[in-house]
Amino acid sequence: IRKSALLEFVPPAGSIDDVGGLENLKRWLAKRNGSWLPDAARWGISPPKGVLITGVPGCGKSLTAKCMSSLWGLPLLRLDVGKIFSGLVGSSELNMRASLRLAEAVAPSILWIDEIEKGFGSASSAQSGDSGTSQRVFGTFLTWMQEKSSSVFVIATANKIDALPPELLRKGRFDEIFFVDLPTDSERRTIWSLHLGKRLREGEALGGELALTEQLVADLAAGTDGFSGAEIEQAVVAACFDAFAERRALRVEDLQRAVVSTVPLSVTQAEQVAT
Ligand code: ATP
């Protein structure tokens, strides 16, 4: 499968070490590597059904999912739940079934359901006009999750856990649910090192003025409390553009300026609550 209408083959990308923080989740996944192999039965275990990762936007949920195929050496298929609901009567369920069959056809495999709340968010509420279809598609998925014996590991990512139907969170569906929060100070140090280190390695014109010292990383982390991983990356990129615009090496001031001009989503949301 290179690309089908509903499922997209995600080529192996990056290593799980590119994900800063999220240690519990990474450990959980690493321990289950190879659990689909017949040999695993000697330990009295069966392959996990799946994991749900929810939490703050831009903190590494999708990044972790994208690293799954290199972590486990299995094909990774991304399901666009939005496309399941095609608008033609009856075909949404067929779409769902076809997607699950495709993932089974290449098993052992990993099925990544991105933004699962977008597809199933309305499934348990009767308010939405399409909730009948949504409920049936959701039911198809739930039954498959519960009964599946094939080695298709589901990794579902969601921004809003409260938008998900409670049935999805019940025992027997996902083996584990992880909540990803904004990075702590030490996680921000790792994320700064990862992103800044990568740019300095790849962009030969950036180096020369700035050394990636522990002190610099500690200062940047301390100045970016409330930033998500994505916002840290955004600040690194903005600083690189400052250097590029003047065709010179990267300076600490570029990074400081980029940090100051980035208003993290967490601050914007806190302001909205306060007003
Ligand atoms: P969303 O729900 O908004 O998609 P997300 O949690 O899935 O949020 P990602 O797509 O994983 O966020 O993050 C966007 C980008 O930000 C990543 O591709 C990566 O470059 C950077 N990033 C986010 N979190 C981390 C992290 N923990 N470590 C390293 N980079 C990160």
Side-chain angles (χ1 to χ4, degrees):
I1 308 163
R2 189 78 212 130
K3 197 169 177 142
S4 81
L6 305 164
L7 278 187
E8 182 192 355
F9 174 72
V10 184
S15 134
I16 198 77
D17 297 330
D18 295 337
V19 183
L22 282 62
E23 295 305 331
N24 289 340
L25 169 62
K26 290 193 288 189
R27 210 172 304 120
W28 191 92
L29 293 169
K31 277 188 191 164
R32 282 151 185 81
N33 189 0
S35 56
W36 56 88
L37 298 169
D39 193 46
R42 292 174 55 223
W43 278 264
I45 55 167
S46 44
K49 287 168 189 280
V51 66
L52 171 65
I53 314 173
T54 176
V56 182
C59 287
K61 301 184 294 294
S62 308
L63 185 61
T64 306
K66 284 179 202 157
C67 294
M68 283 300 292
S69 88
S70 36
L71 183 66
W72 282 6
L74 295 181
L76 173 65
L77 300 159
R78 182 177 169 274
L79 173 67
D80 189 334
V81 198
K83 284 191 187 158
I84 294 280
F85 298 93
S86 67
L88 297 168
V89 178
S91 63
S92 305
E93 282 158 277
L94 291 178
N95 283 344
M96 181 48 110
R97 272 184 228 284
S99 306
L100 300 174
R101 291 281 128 72
L102 264 174
E104 283 175 343
V106 293
S109 58
I110 303 162
L111 179 65
W112 170 24
I113 309 182
D114 194 14
E115 299 188 293
I116 191 170
E117 77 274 26
K118 289 211 171 142
F120 297 144
S122 63
S124 61
S125 78
Q127 303 152 354
S128 132
D130 75 340
S131 67
T133 311
S134 185
Q135 264 167 357
R136 284 196 304 276
V137 175
F138 180 55
T140 306
F141 174 72
L142 276 190
T143 312
W144 177 81
M145 256 318 249
Q146 206 152 12
E147 295 173 356
K148 85 184 160 79
S149 54
S150 56
S151 289
V152 179
F153 179 77
V154 177
I155 181 160
T157 48
N159 275 334
K160 296 193 195 106
I161 194 165
D162 42 344
L164 289 173
E167 298 93 312
L168 200 63
L169 311 176
R170 257 186 232 140
K171 276 259 163 257
R173 269 74 202 241
F174 291 101
D175 297 84
E176 198 68 74
I177 300 174
F178 285 91
F179 182 81
V180 176
D181 210 343
L182 286 170
T184 61
D185 185 79
S186 96
E187 288 168 341
R188 289 198 302 279
R189 287 182 200 211
T190 311
I191 298 172
W192 270 107
S193 302
L194 280 168
H195 284 289
L196 196 48
K198 179 169 173 267
R199 293 302 185 305
L200 289 171
R201 264 194 320 277
E202 288 173 2
E204 55 190 47
L206 287 173
E209 292 197 26
L210 180 147
L212 190 61
T213 59
E214 267 183 41
Q215 187 58 54
L216 172 65
V217 168
D219 291 344
L220 290 166
T224 46
D225 190 12
F227 276 50
S228 66
E231 285 156 349
I232 291 177
E233 184 187 22
Q234 189 190 318
V236 173
V237 172
C240 291
F241 271 107
D242 279 358
F244 169 70
E246 296 180 10
R247 303 295 191 273
R248 56 163 174 77
L250 187 66
R251 295 178 187 148
V252 178
E253 299 81 64
D254 299 324
L255 294 164
Q256 289 165 338
R257 211 174 320 114
V259 165
V260 172
S261 56
T262 307
V263 182
L265 188 67
S266 63
V267 169
T268 319
Q269 284 173 341
E271 279 166 1
Q272 278 168 359
V273 171
T275 51

